[in-house]
Amino acid sequence: DTGVSQNPRHKITKRGQNVTFRCDPISEHNRLYWYRQTLGQGPEFLTYFQNEAQLEKSRLLSDRFSAERPKGSFSTLEIQRTEQGDSAMYLCASLRGGAQETQYFGPGTRLLVL
Amino acid sequence: RKEVEQDPGPFNVPEGATVAFNCTYSNSASQSFFWYRQDCRKEPKLLMSVYSSGNEDGRFTAQLNRASQYISLLIRDSKLSDSATYLCVVRGFGNEKLTFGTGTRLTIIP
């Protein structure tokens, strides 16, 4: 257990529905990252926060995706109008600060869109 | 061309053998390099960072060749518990995100 928690761990939804995932980073970590991993692939970067500021967004993050970190602590990732191609593992990672430090990953939220 | 390329395997190796994984990266400005381990349906976990001078942690040795943009991982005296997917990971200068390879699947056979 790295200390990064994610909820829910699994989510099954029907196409067109909205879903929201939550990540609670390690408490003293000011940087938080979201990645997506599909079967047989490595994780792909989606977005990153330093405290409450969203500093970078991947082109993978379409306008159906939105992420927030309102108080610089936990973060949410919302997917609107889900599509079957959104089925993946959504991973959150955090680190304390300083580019050389290690990112610690949470257990992920596995999304299945029917 | 993918930013980080790995042979996906699978590698099926008898217990006690030595196995080596290789990885190449395309961005010469990359600054930090890692190997992560991922068990089935679990999150990636840092195995080791990779330094230009090479580094060793028990049975694991990592090497970096900046000129060839090549990273390697050597596992000696492999154990059944080493069965996992090994992810080659790169971070660019001033770039916070991690870029992962597709992973190399390793199965240690008793």
PDB file of all heavy atoms in Angstrom, chain A residues 31 33 35 37 41-43 45 48 99-103 105-107 110, chain B residues 2 32 36 38 41-46 87 91 95-98 100-102:
ATOM      1  N   ARG A  31       1.928  17.249  -5.599  1.00  0.00           N
ATOM      2  CA  ARG A  31       1.749  16.999  -7.035  1.00  0.00           C
ATOM      3  C   ARG A  31       0.929  15.730  -7.228  1.00  0.00           C
ATOM      4  O   ARG A  31       1.180  14.716  -6.579  1.00  0.00           O
ATOM      5  CB  ARG A  31       3.092  16.870  -7.731  1.00  0.00           C
ATOM      6  CG  ARG A  31       3.883  18.150  -7.601  1.00  0.00           C
ATOM      7  CD  ARG A  31       5.197  18.106  -8.288  1.00  0.00           C
ATOM      8  NE  ARG A  31       5.953  19.313  -7.936  1.00  0.00           N
ATOM      9  CZ  ARG A  31       6.882  19.845  -8.698  1.00  0.00           C
ATOM     10  NH1 ARG A  31       7.175  19.289  -9.861  1.00  0.00           N
ATOM     11  NH2 ARG A  31       7.522  20.931  -8.316  1.00  0.00           N
ATOM     12  N   TYR A  33      -1.079  13.233 -10.295  1.00  0.00           N
ATOM     13  CA  TYR A  33      -1.094  12.882 -11.713  1.00  0.00           C
ATOM     14  C   TYR A  33      -2.217  11.886 -11.977  1.00  0.00           C
ATOM     15  O   TYR A  33      -2.480  11.015 -11.149  1.00  0.00           O
ATOM     16  CB  TYR A  33       0.228  12.221 -12.121  1.00  0.00           C
ATOM     17  CG  TYR A  33       1.451  13.019 -11.782  1.00  0.00           C
ATOM     18  CD1 TYR A  33       1.943  13.057 -10.484  1.00  0.00           C
ATOM     19  CD2 TYR A  33       2.122  13.740 -12.759  1.00  0.00           C
ATOM     20  CE1 TYR A  33       3.060  13.796 -10.161  1.00  0.00           C
ATOM     21  CE2 TYR A  33       3.247  14.484 -12.447  1.00  0.00           C
ATOM     22  CZ  TYR A  33       3.709  14.516 -11.144  1.00  0.00           C
ATOM     23  OH  TYR A  33       4.821  15.253 -10.835  1.00  0.00           O
ATOM     24  N   TYR A  35      -3.287   8.982 -14.944  1.00  0.00           N
ATOM     25  CA  TYR A  35      -2.870   8.201 -16.096  1.00  0.00           C
ATOM     26  C   TYR A  35      -4.008   7.254 -16.468  1.00  0.00           C
ATOM     27  O   TYR A  35      -4.841   6.899 -15.640  1.00  0.00           O
ATOM     28  CB  TYR A  35      -1.630   7.347 -15.779  1.00  0.00           C
ATOM     29  CG  TYR A  35      -0.366   8.124 -15.514  1.00  0.00           C
ATOM     30  CD1 TYR A  35      -0.099   8.650 -14.251  1.00  0.00           C
ATOM     31  CD2 TYR A  35       0.584   8.310 -16.509  1.00  0.00           C
ATOM     32  CE1 TYR A  35       1.072   9.357 -14.002  1.00  0.00           C
ATOM     33  CE2 TYR A  35       1.765   9.005 -16.266  1.00  0.00           C
ATOM     34  CZ  TYR A  35       1.997   9.526 -15.007  1.00  0.00           C
ATOM     35  OH  TYR A  35       3.159  10.213 -14.764  1.00  0.00           O
ATOM     36  N   GLN A  37      -4.588   3.403 -18.401  1.00  0.00           N
ATOM     37  CA  GLN A  37      -3.918   2.205 -18.905  1.00  0.00           C
ATOM     38  C   GLN A  37      -4.936   1.260 -19.515  1.00  0.00           C
ATOM     39  O   GLN A  37      -5.881   0.845 -18.848  1.00  0.00           O
ATOM     40  CB  GLN A  37      -3.142   1.496 -17.795  1.00  0.00           C
ATOM     41  CG  GLN A  37      -2.312   0.326 -18.293  1.00  0.00           C
ATOM     42  CD  GLN A  37      -1.442  -0.278 -17.205  1.00  0.00           C
ATOM     43  OE1 GLN A  37      -1.724  -0.159 -16.017  1.00  0.00           O
ATOM     44  NE2 GLN A  37      -0.361  -0.932 -17.602  1.00  0.00           N
ATOM     45  N   GLN A  41      -0.984  -2.322 -22.673  1.00  0.00           N
ATOM     46  CA  GLN A  41      -0.242  -1.069 -22.859  1.00  0.00           C
ATOM     47  C   GLN A  41       0.276  -0.558 -21.513  1.00  0.00           C
ATOM     48  O   GLN A  41      -0.245  -0.923 -20.462  1.00  0.00           O
ATOM     49  CB  GLN A  41      -1.142   0.004 -23.481  1.00  0.00           C
ATOM     50  CG  GLN A  41      -1.726  -0.371 -24.822  1.00  0.00           C
ATOM     51  CD  GLN A  41      -0.672  -0.570 -25.876  1.00  0.00           C
ATOM     52  OE1 GLN A  41       0.263   0.224 -26.011  1.00  0.00           O
ATOM     53  NE2 GLN A  41      -0.787  -1.646 -26.639  1.00  0.00           N
ATOM     54  N   GLY A  42       1.295   0.296 -21.582  1.00  0.00           N
ATOM     55  CA  GLY A  42       1.713   0.971 -20.370  1.00  0.00           C
ATOM     56  C   GLY A  42       0.792   2.133 -20.066  1.00  0.00           C
ATOM     57  O   GLY A  42       0.016   2.571 -20.922  1.00  0.00           O
ATOM     58  N   PRO A  43       0.852   2.658 -18.852  1.00  0.00           N
ATOM     59  CA  PRO A  43       0.031   3.823 -18.517  1.00  0.00           C
ATOM     60  C   PRO A  43       0.362   5.010 -19.417  1.00  0.00           C
ATOM     61  O   PRO A  43       1.510   5.212 -19.799  1.00  0.00           O
ATOM     62  CB  PRO A  43       0.421   4.112 -17.066  1.00  0.00           C
ATOM     63  CG  PRO A  43       0.925   2.812 -16.537  1.00  0.00           C
ATOM     64  CD  PRO A  43       1.601   2.150 -17.694  1.00  0.00           C
ATOM     65  N   PHE A  45      -0.117   9.252 -19.770  1.00  0.00           N
ATOM     66  CA  PHE A  45      -0.361  10.462 -19.000  1.00  0.00           C
ATOM     67  C   PHE A  45      -1.626  11.175 -19.476  1.00  0.00           C
ATOM     68  O   PHE A  45      -1.862  11.317 -20.681  1.00  0.00           O
ATOM     69  CB  PHE A  45       0.842  11.395 -19.174  1.00  0.00           C
ATOM     70  CG  PHE A  45       0.655  12.769 -18.609  1.00  0.00           C
ATOM     71  CD1 PHE A  45       0.767  13.001 -17.252  1.00  0.00           C
ATOM     72  CD2 PHE A  45       0.365  13.832 -19.447  1.00  0.00           C
ATOM     73  CE1 PHE A  45       0.598  14.271 -16.737  1.00  0.00           C
ATOM     74  CE2 PHE A  45       0.198  15.112 -18.946  1.00  0.00           C
ATOM     75  CZ  PHE A  45       0.319  15.337 -17.581  1.00  0.00           C
ATOM     76  N   TYR A  48      -1.972  16.649 -14.838  1.00  0.00           N
ATOM     77  CA  TYR A  48      -1.164  16.787 -13.640  1.00  0.00           C
ATOM     78  C   TYR A  48      -1.488  18.094 -12.920  1.00  0.00           C
ATOM     79  O   TYR A  48      -1.759  19.112 -13.561  1.00  0.00           O
ATOM     80  CB  TYR A  48       0.303  16.658 -14.055  1.00  0.00           C
ATOM     81  CG  TYR A  48       1.303  17.619 -13.498  1.00  0.00           C
ATOM     82  CD1 TYR A  48       1.641  17.604 -12.148  1.00  0.00           C
ATOM     83  CD2 TYR A  48       1.971  18.495 -14.338  1.00  0.00           C
ATOM     84  CE1 TYR A  48       2.598  18.468 -11.648  1.00  0.00           C
ATOM     85  CE2 TYR A  48       2.928  19.358 -13.849  1.00  0.00           C
ATOM     86  CZ  TYR A  48       3.239  19.338 -12.500  1.00  0.00           C
ATOM     87  OH  TYR A  48       4.201  20.194 -12.018  1.00  0.00           O
ATOM     88  N   ALA A  99      11.312  17.431  -9.172  1.00  0.00           N
ATOM     89  CA  ALA A  99      11.093  16.570 -10.337  1.00  0.00           C
ATOM     90  C   ALA A  99      11.790  15.225 -10.215  1.00  0.00           C
ATOM     91  O   ALA A  99      11.441  14.289 -10.906  1.00  0.00           O
ATOM     92  CB  ALA A  99      11.554  17.294 -11.595  1.00  0.00           C
ATOM     93  N   GLN A 100      12.771  15.128  -9.341  1.00  0.00           N
ATOM     94  CA  GLN A 100      13.516  13.880  -9.276  1.00  0.00           C
ATOM     95  C   GLN A 100      12.892  12.855  -8.352  1.00  0.00           C
ATOM     96  O   GLN A 100      13.355  11.733  -8.271  1.00  0.00           O
ATOM     97  CB  GLN A 100      14.953  14.176  -8.814  1.00  0.00           C
ATOM     98  CG  GLN A 100      15.701  15.101  -9.765  1.00  0.00           C
ATOM     99  CD  GLN A 100      15.649  14.614 -11.203  1.00  0.00           C
ATOM    100  OE1 GLN A 100      15.892  13.451 -11.470  1.00  0.00           O
ATOM    101  NE2 GLN A 100      15.286  15.489 -12.124  1.00  0.00           N
ATOM    102  N   GLU A 101      11.828  13.232  -7.673  1.00  0.00           N
ATOM    103  CA  GLU A 101      11.243  12.295  -6.730  1.00  0.00           C
ATOM    104  C   GLU A 101      10.335  11.302  -7.435  1.00  0.00           C
ATOM    105  O   GLU A 101       9.879  11.523  -8.544  1.00  0.00           O
ATOM    106  CB  GLU A 101      10.483  13.053  -5.656  1.00  0.00           C
ATOM    107  CG  GLU A 101      11.422  13.888  -4.785  1.00  0.00           C
ATOM    108  CD  GLU A 101      10.809  14.221  -3.451  1.00  0.00           C
ATOM    109  OE1 GLU A 101      10.059  13.390  -2.912  1.00  0.00           O
ATOM    110  OE2 GLU A 101      11.070  15.317  -2.957  1.00  0.00           O
ATOM    111  N   THR A 102      10.082  10.206  -6.755  1.00  0.00           N
ATOM    112  CA  THR A 102       9.321   9.098  -7.333  1.00  0.00           C
ATOM    113  C   THR A 102       7.838   9.350  -7.244  1.00  0.00           C
ATOM    114  O   THR A 102       7.342   9.871  -6.243  1.00  0.00           O
ATOM    115  CB  THR A 102       9.654   7.827  -6.551  1.00  0.00           C
ATOM    116  OG1 THR A 102      11.054   7.616  -6.594  1.00  0.00           O
ATOM    117  CG2 THR A 102       8.934   6.628  -7.141  1.00  0.00           C
ATOM    118  N   GLN A 103       7.119   8.970  -8.282  1.00  0.00           N
ATOM    119  CA  GLN A 103       5.666   9.005  -8.244  1.00  0.00           C
ATOM    120  C   GLN A 103       5.164   7.694  -7.652  1.00  0.00           C
ATOM    121  O   GLN A 103       5.590   6.611  -8.066  1.00  0.00           O
ATOM    122  CB  GLN A 103       5.110   9.191  -9.655  1.00  0.00           C
ATOM    123  CG  GLN A 103       5.434  10.558 -10.241  1.00  0.00           C
ATOM    124  CD  GLN A 103       4.779  10.812 -11.575  1.00  0.00           C
ATOM    125  OE1 GLN A 103       3.826  10.152 -11.958  1.00  0.00           O
ATOM    126  NE2 GLN A 103       5.283  11.798 -12.303  1.00  0.00           N
ATOM    127  N   PHE A 105       1.919   5.301  -7.093  1.00  0.00           N
ATOM    128  CA  PHE A 105       0.633   5.073  -7.724  1.00  0.00           C
ATOM    129  C   PHE A 105      -0.387   4.507  -6.744  1.00  0.00           C
ATOM    130  O   PHE A 105      -0.055   3.710  -5.859  1.00  0.00           O
ATOM    131  CB  PHE A 105       0.789   4.090  -8.893  1.00  0.00           C
ATOM    132  CG  PHE A 105       1.374   4.716 -10.117  1.00  0.00           C
ATOM    133  CD1 PHE A 105       2.744   4.855 -10.250  1.00  0.00           C
ATOM    134  CD2 PHE A 105       0.557   5.189 -11.130  1.00  0.00           C
ATOM    135  CE1 PHE A 105       3.291   5.447 -11.375  1.00  0.00           C
ATOM    136  CE2 PHE A 105       1.092   5.785 -12.257  1.00  0.00           C
ATOM    137  CZ  PHE A 105       2.459   5.911 -12.383  1.00  0.00           C
ATOM    138  N   GLY A 106      -1.634   4.908  -6.943  1.00  0.00           N
ATOM    139  CA  GLY A 106      -2.746   4.284  -6.247  1.00  0.00           C
ATOM    140  C   GLY A 106      -3.136   2.992  -6.941  1.00  0.00           C
ATOM    141  O   GLY A 106      -2.598   2.664  -8.007  1.00  0.00           O
ATOM    142  N   PRO A 107      -4.105   2.254  -6.361  1.00  0.00           N
ATOM    143  CA  PRO A 107      -4.490   0.950  -6.911  1.00  0.00           C
ATOM    144  C   PRO A 107      -5.296   1.037  -8.204  1.00  0.00           C
ATOM    145  O   PRO A 107      -5.492   0.026  -8.870  1.00  0.00           O
ATOM    146  CB  PRO A 107      -5.333   0.327  -5.795  1.00  0.00           C
ATOM    147  CG  PRO A 107      -5.891   1.508  -5.069  1.00  0.00           C
ATOM    148  CD  PRO A 107      -4.836   2.567  -5.133  1.00  0.00           C
ATOM    149  N   ARG A 110     -10.878   0.660 -12.151  1.00  0.00           N
ATOM    150  CA  ARG A 110     -11.085  -0.069 -13.407  1.00  0.00           C
ATOM    151  C   ARG A 110     -12.478   0.253 -13.914  1.00  0.00           C
ATOM    152  O   ARG A 110     -13.466  -0.033 -13.256  1.00  0.00           O
ATOM    153  CB  ARG A 110     -10.911  -1.561 -13.183  1.00  0.00           C
ATOM    154  CG  ARG A 110     -10.844  -2.357 -14.474  1.00  0.00           C
ATOM    155  CD  ARG A 110     -10.467  -3.807 -14.184  1.00  0.00           C
ATOM    156  NE  ARG A 110      -9.135  -3.936 -13.650  1.00  0.00           N
ATOM    157  CZ  ARG A 110      -8.029  -4.002 -14.383  1.00  0.00           C
ATOM    158  NH1 ARG A 110      -8.110  -3.930 -15.696  1.00  0.00           N
ATOM    159  NH2 ARG A 110      -6.853  -4.133 -13.813  1.00  0.00           N
TER     160      ARG A 110
ATOM    161  N   LYS B   2       7.174   5.103 -31.231  1.00  0.00           N
ATOM    162  CA  LYS B   2       6.801   5.323 -29.837  1.00  0.00           C
ATOM    163  C   LYS B   2       7.957   5.969 -29.102  1.00  0.00           C
ATOM    164  O   LYS B   2       9.116   5.737 -29.404  1.00  0.00           O
ATOM    165  CB  LYS B   2       6.448   3.990 -29.185  1.00  0.00           C
ATOM    166  CG  LYS B   2       5.127   3.416 -29.666  1.00  0.00           C
ATOM    167  CD  LYS B   2       4.758   2.181 -28.881  1.00  0.00           C
ATOM    168  CE  LYS B   2       3.400   1.672 -29.314  1.00  0.00           C
ATOM    169  NZ  LYS B   2       3.001   0.464 -28.579  1.00  0.00           N
ATOM    170  N   SER B  32      15.381  11.497 -16.675  1.00  0.00           N
ATOM    171  CA  SER B  32      15.272  10.512 -15.595  1.00  0.00           C
ATOM    172  C   SER B  32      14.702   9.224 -16.155  1.00  0.00           C
ATOM    173  O   SER B  32      13.842   9.245 -17.038  1.00  0.00           O
ATOM    174  CB  SER B  32      14.353  11.030 -14.480  1.00  0.00           C
ATOM    175  OG  SER B  32      14.802  12.263 -13.982  1.00  0.00           O
ATOM    176  N   TYR B  36       9.750   0.126 -13.573  1.00  0.00           N
ATOM    177  CA  TYR B  36       8.634  -0.156 -12.687  1.00  0.00           C
ATOM    178  C   TYR B  36       8.232  -1.605 -12.905  1.00  0.00           C
ATOM    179  O   TYR B  36       8.364  -2.141 -14.009  1.00  0.00           O
ATOM    180  CB  TYR B  36       7.426   0.743 -12.990  1.00  0.00           C
ATOM    181  CG  TYR B  36       7.425   2.092 -12.298  1.00  0.00           C
ATOM    182  CD1 TYR B  36       8.322   3.089 -12.672  1.00  0.00           C
ATOM    183  CD2 TYR B  36       6.519   2.375 -11.281  1.00  0.00           C
ATOM    184  CE1 TYR B  36       8.303   4.338 -12.050  1.00  0.00           C
ATOM    185  CE2 TYR B  36       6.494   3.619 -10.651  1.00  0.00           C
ATOM    186  CZ  TYR B  36       7.392   4.593 -11.045  1.00  0.00           C
ATOM    187  OH  TYR B  36       7.377   5.822 -10.431  1.00  0.00           O
ATOM    188  N   GLN B  38       4.898  -4.235 -12.565  1.00  0.00           N
ATOM    189  CA  GLN B  38       3.441  -4.249 -12.425  1.00  0.00           C
ATOM    190  C   GLN B  38       2.959  -5.692 -12.401  1.00  0.00           C
ATOM    191  O   GLN B  38       3.162  -6.442 -13.361  1.00  0.00           O
ATOM    192  CB  GLN B  38       2.768  -3.480 -13.569  1.00  0.00           C
ATOM    193  CG  GLN B  38       1.265  -3.318 -13.380  1.00  0.00           C
ATOM    194  CD  GLN B  38       0.644  -2.364 -14.386  1.00  0.00           C
ATOM    195  OE1 GLN B  38       1.138  -2.209 -15.497  1.00  0.00           O
ATOM    196  NE2 GLN B  38      -0.456  -1.706 -14.001  1.00  0.00           N
ATOM    197  N   ARG B  41      -3.227  -6.879 -12.789  1.00  0.00           N
ATOM    198  CA  ARG B  41      -4.361  -6.139 -12.266  1.00  0.00           C
ATOM    199  C   ARG B  41      -4.009  -5.275 -11.042  1.00  0.00           C
ATOM    200  O   ARG B  41      -4.873  -4.944 -10.233  1.00  0.00           O
ATOM    201  CB  ARG B  41      -5.525  -7.079 -11.931  1.00  0.00           C
ATOM    202  CG  ARG B  41      -5.960  -7.914 -13.130  1.00  0.00           C
ATOM    203  CD  ARG B  41      -7.138  -8.798 -12.796  1.00  0.00           C
ATOM    204  NE  ARG B  41      -8.376  -8.041 -12.695  1.00  0.00           N
ATOM    205  CZ  ARG B  41      -9.115  -7.671 -13.730  1.00  0.00           C
ATOM    206  NH1 ARG B  41      -8.739  -7.983 -14.944  1.00  0.00           N
ATOM    207  NH2 ARG B  41     -10.238  -6.986 -13.551  1.00  0.00           N
ATOM    208  N   LYS B  42      -2.725  -4.939 -10.925  1.00  0.00           N
ATOM    209  CA  LYS B  42      -2.270  -4.079  -9.838  1.00  0.00           C
ATOM    210  C   LYS B  42      -1.653  -2.808 -10.424  1.00  0.00           C
ATOM    211  O   LYS B  42      -1.445  -2.695 -11.613  1.00  0.00           O
ATOM    212  CB  LYS B  42      -1.223  -4.794  -8.990  1.00  0.00           C
ATOM    213  CG  LYS B  42      -1.707  -6.072  -8.340  1.00  0.00           C
ATOM    214  CD  LYS B  42      -2.556  -5.780  -7.139  1.00  0.00           C
ATOM    215  CE  LYS B  42      -2.822  -7.038  -6.352  1.00  0.00           C
ATOM    216  NZ  LYS B  42      -3.649  -6.749  -5.166  1.00  0.00           N
ATOM    217  N   GLU B  43      -1.335  -1.852  -9.519  1.00  0.00           N
ATOM    218  CA  GLU B  43      -0.708  -0.622  -9.981  1.00  0.00           C
ATOM    219  C   GLU B  43       0.783  -0.822 -10.200  1.00  0.00           C
ATOM    220  O   GLU B  43       1.392  -1.711  -9.600  1.00  0.00           O
ATOM    221  CB  GLU B  43      -0.926   0.506  -8.947  1.00  0.00           C
ATOM    222  CG  GLU B  43      -0.116   0.372  -7.659  1.00  0.00           C
ATOM    223  CD  GLU B  43      -0.798  -0.482  -6.623  1.00  0.00           C
ATOM    224  OE1 GLU B  43      -1.679  -1.292  -6.962  1.00  0.00           O
ATOM    225  OE2 GLU B  43      -0.435  -0.317  -5.437  1.00  0.00           O
ATOM    226  N   PRO B  44       1.410   0.023 -11.021  1.00  0.00           N
ATOM    227  CA  PRO B  44       2.871  -0.043 -11.181  1.00  0.00           C
ATOM    228  C   PRO B  44       3.568   0.369  -9.889  1.00  0.00           C
ATOM    229  O   PRO B  44       3.129   1.287  -9.195  1.00  0.00           O
ATOM    230  CB  PRO B  44       3.156   0.985 -12.286  1.00  0.00           C
ATOM    231  CG  PRO B  44       1.845   1.299 -12.909  1.00  0.00           C
ATOM    232  CD  PRO B  44       0.807   1.073 -11.866  1.00  0.00           C
ATOM    233  N   LYS B  45       4.674  -0.307  -9.600  1.00  0.00           N
ATOM    234  CA  LYS B  45       5.483   0.043  -8.424  1.00  0.00           C
ATOM    235  C   LYS B  45       6.931   0.211  -8.850  1.00  0.00           C
ATOM    236  O   LYS B  45       7.437  -0.570  -9.656  1.00  0.00           O
ATOM    237  CB  LYS B  45       5.364  -1.039  -7.354  1.00  0.00           C
ATOM    238  CG  LYS B  45       3.969  -1.104  -6.743  1.00  0.00           C
ATOM    239  CD  LYS B  45       3.890  -2.089  -5.611  1.00  0.00           C
ATOM    240  CE  LYS B  45       2.475  -2.058  -5.010  1.00  0.00           C
ATOM    241  NZ  LYS B  45       2.306  -3.066  -3.953  1.00  0.00           N
ATOM    242  N   LEU B  46       7.582   1.228  -8.306  1.00  0.00           N
ATOM    243  CA  LEU B  46       8.966   1.504  -8.669  1.00  0.00           C
ATOM    244  C   LEU B  46       9.853   0.334  -8.280  1.00  0.00           C
ATOM    245  O   LEU B  46       9.868  -0.089  -7.113  1.00  0.00           O
ATOM    246  CB  LEU B  46       9.450   2.776  -7.986  1.00  0.00           C
ATOM    247  CG  LEU B  46      10.903   3.146  -8.273  1.00  0.00           C
ATOM    248  CD1 LEU B  46      11.063   3.551  -9.741  1.00  0.00           C
ATOM    249  CD2 LEU B  46      11.366   4.264  -7.361  1.00  0.00           C
ATOM    250  N   LEU B  87       8.040  -2.431 -16.694  1.00  0.00           N
ATOM    251  CA  LEU B  87       7.781  -1.226 -17.481  1.00  0.00           C
ATOM    252  C   LEU B  87       9.008  -0.317 -17.478  1.00  0.00           C
ATOM    253  O   LEU B  87       9.525   0.046 -16.415  1.00  0.00           O
ATOM    254  CB  LEU B  87       6.593  -0.457 -16.883  1.00  0.00           C
ATOM    255  CG  LEU B  87       5.243  -1.175 -16.921  1.00  0.00           C
ATOM    256  CD1 LEU B  87       4.299  -0.602 -15.876  1.00  0.00           C
ATOM    257  CD2 LEU B  87       4.629  -1.051 -18.302  1.00  0.00           C
ATOM    258  N   ARG B  91      11.369  10.187 -18.000  1.00  0.00           N
ATOM    259  CA  ARG B  91      10.826  11.519 -17.718  1.00  0.00           C
ATOM    260  C   ARG B  91      11.743  12.552 -18.358  1.00  0.00           C
ATOM    261  O   ARG B  91      12.960  12.481 -18.218  1.00  0.00           O
ATOM    262  CB  ARG B  91      10.716  11.764 -16.216  1.00  0.00           C
ATOM    263  CG  ARG B  91      10.117  13.119 -15.872  1.00  0.00           C
ATOM    264  CD  ARG B  91       9.751  13.225 -14.421  1.00  0.00           C
ATOM    265  NE  ARG B  91      10.882  12.943 -13.559  1.00  0.00           N
ATOM    266  CZ  ARG B  91      10.766  12.458 -12.324  1.00  0.00           C
ATOM    267  NH1 ARG B  91       9.579  12.210 -11.806  1.00  0.00           N
ATOM    268  NH2 ARG B  91      11.837  12.230 -11.609  1.00  0.00           N
ATOM    269  N   ASN B  95       9.867  18.217 -17.382  1.00  0.00           N
ATOM    270  CA  ASN B  95       8.575  17.635 -17.737  1.00  0.00           C
ATOM    271  C   ASN B  95       8.187  16.677 -16.637  1.00  0.00           C
ATOM    272  O   ASN B  95       8.864  15.716 -16.382  1.00  0.00           O
ATOM    273  CB  ASN B  95       8.711  16.918 -19.079  1.00  0.00           C
ATOM    274  CG  ASN B  95       7.386  16.403 -19.587  1.00  0.00           C
ATOM    275  OD1 ASN B  95       6.472  16.163 -18.815  1.00  0.00           O
ATOM    276  ND2 ASN B  95       7.287  16.237 -20.873  1.00  0.00           N
ATOM    277  N   GLU B  96       7.075  16.955 -16.019  1.00  0.00           N
ATOM    278  CA  GLU B  96       6.710  16.168 -14.852  1.00  0.00           C
ATOM    279  C   GLU B  96       6.191  14.780 -15.181  1.00  0.00           C
ATOM    280  O   GLU B  96       6.242  13.884 -14.373  1.00  0.00           O
ATOM    281  CB  GLU B  96       5.636  16.929 -14.061  1.00  0.00           C
ATOM    282  CG  GLU B  96       6.115  18.253 -13.513  1.00  0.00           C
ATOM    283  CD  GLU B  96       7.056  18.070 -12.352  1.00  0.00           C
ATOM    284  OE1 GLU B  96       7.074  16.973 -11.760  1.00  0.00           O
ATOM    285  OE2 GLU B  96       7.793  19.010 -12.043  1.00  0.00           O
ATOM    286  N   LYS B  97       5.633  14.622 -16.369  1.00  0.00           N
ATOM    287  CA  LYS B  97       4.930  13.367 -16.630  1.00  0.00           C
ATOM    288  C   LYS B  97       5.922  12.246 -16.874  1.00  0.00           C
ATOM    289  O   LYS B  97       7.053  12.442 -17.305  1.00  0.00           O
ATOM    290  CB  LYS B  97       4.024  13.518 -17.856  1.00  0.00           C
ATOM    291  CG  LYS B  97       4.778  13.621 -19.164  1.00  0.00           C
ATOM    292  CD  LYS B  97       3.835  13.706 -20.341  1.00  0.00           C
ATOM    293  CE  LYS B  97       4.629  13.661 -21.644  1.00  0.00           C
ATOM    294  NZ  LYS B  97       3.765  13.800 -22.832  1.00  0.00           N
ATOM    295  N   LEU B  98       5.469  11.037 -16.581  1.00  0.00           N
ATOM    296  CA  LEU B  98       6.221   9.831 -16.883  1.00  0.00           C
ATOM    297  C   LEU B  98       5.703   9.272 -18.203  1.00  0.00           C
ATOM    298  O   LEU B  98       4.510   9.262 -18.448  1.00  0.00           O
ATOM    299  CB  LEU B  98       6.035   8.784 -15.785  1.00  0.00           C
ATOM    300  CG  LEU B  98       6.517   9.162 -14.380  1.00  0.00           C
ATOM    301  CD1 LEU B  98       6.219   8.015 -13.412  1.00  0.00           C
ATOM    302  CD2 LEU B  98       7.988   9.507 -14.376  1.00  0.00           C
ATOM    303  N   PHE B 100       5.699   5.795 -20.325  1.00  0.00           N
ATOM    304  CA  PHE B 100       5.895   4.365 -20.118  1.00  0.00           C
ATOM    305  C   PHE B 100       6.033   3.637 -21.439  1.00  0.00           C
ATOM    306  O   PHE B 100       5.374   3.980 -22.428  1.00  0.00           O
ATOM    307  CB  PHE B 100       4.684   3.772 -19.393  1.00  0.00           C
ATOM    308  CG  PHE B 100       4.565   4.144 -17.944  1.00  0.00           C
ATOM    309  CD1 PHE B 100       4.059   5.387 -17.582  1.00  0.00           C
ATOM    310  CD2 PHE B 100       4.935   3.263 -16.954  1.00  0.00           C
ATOM    311  CE1 PHE B 100       3.934   5.740 -16.246  1.00  0.00           C
ATOM    312  CE2 PHE B 100       4.804   3.597 -15.611  1.00  0.00           C
ATOM    313  CZ  PHE B 100       4.309   4.837 -15.265  1.00  0.00           C
ATOM    314  N   GLY B 101       6.853   2.584 -21.434  1.00  0.00           N
ATOM    315  CA  GLY B 101       6.812   1.623 -22.513  1.00  0.00           C
ATOM    316  C   GLY B 101       5.595   0.716 -22.331  1.00  0.00           C
ATOM    317  O   GLY B 101       4.864   0.819 -21.329  1.00  0.00           O
ATOM    318  N   THR B 102       5.405  -0.183 -23.283  1.00  0.00           N
ATOM    319  CA  THR B 102       4.249  -1.088 -23.203  1.00  0.00           C
ATOM    320  C   THR B 102       4.434  -2.165 -22.150  1.00  0.00           C
ATOM    321  O   THR B 102       3.476  -2.797 -21.733  1.00  0.00           O
ATOM    322  CB  THR B 102       3.988  -1.765 -24.555  1.00  0.00           C
ATOM    323  OG1 THR B 102       5.196  -2.413 -24.965  1.00  0.00           O
ATOM    324  CG2 THR B 102       3.580  -0.767 -25.607  1.00  0.00           C
TER     325      THR B 102
END
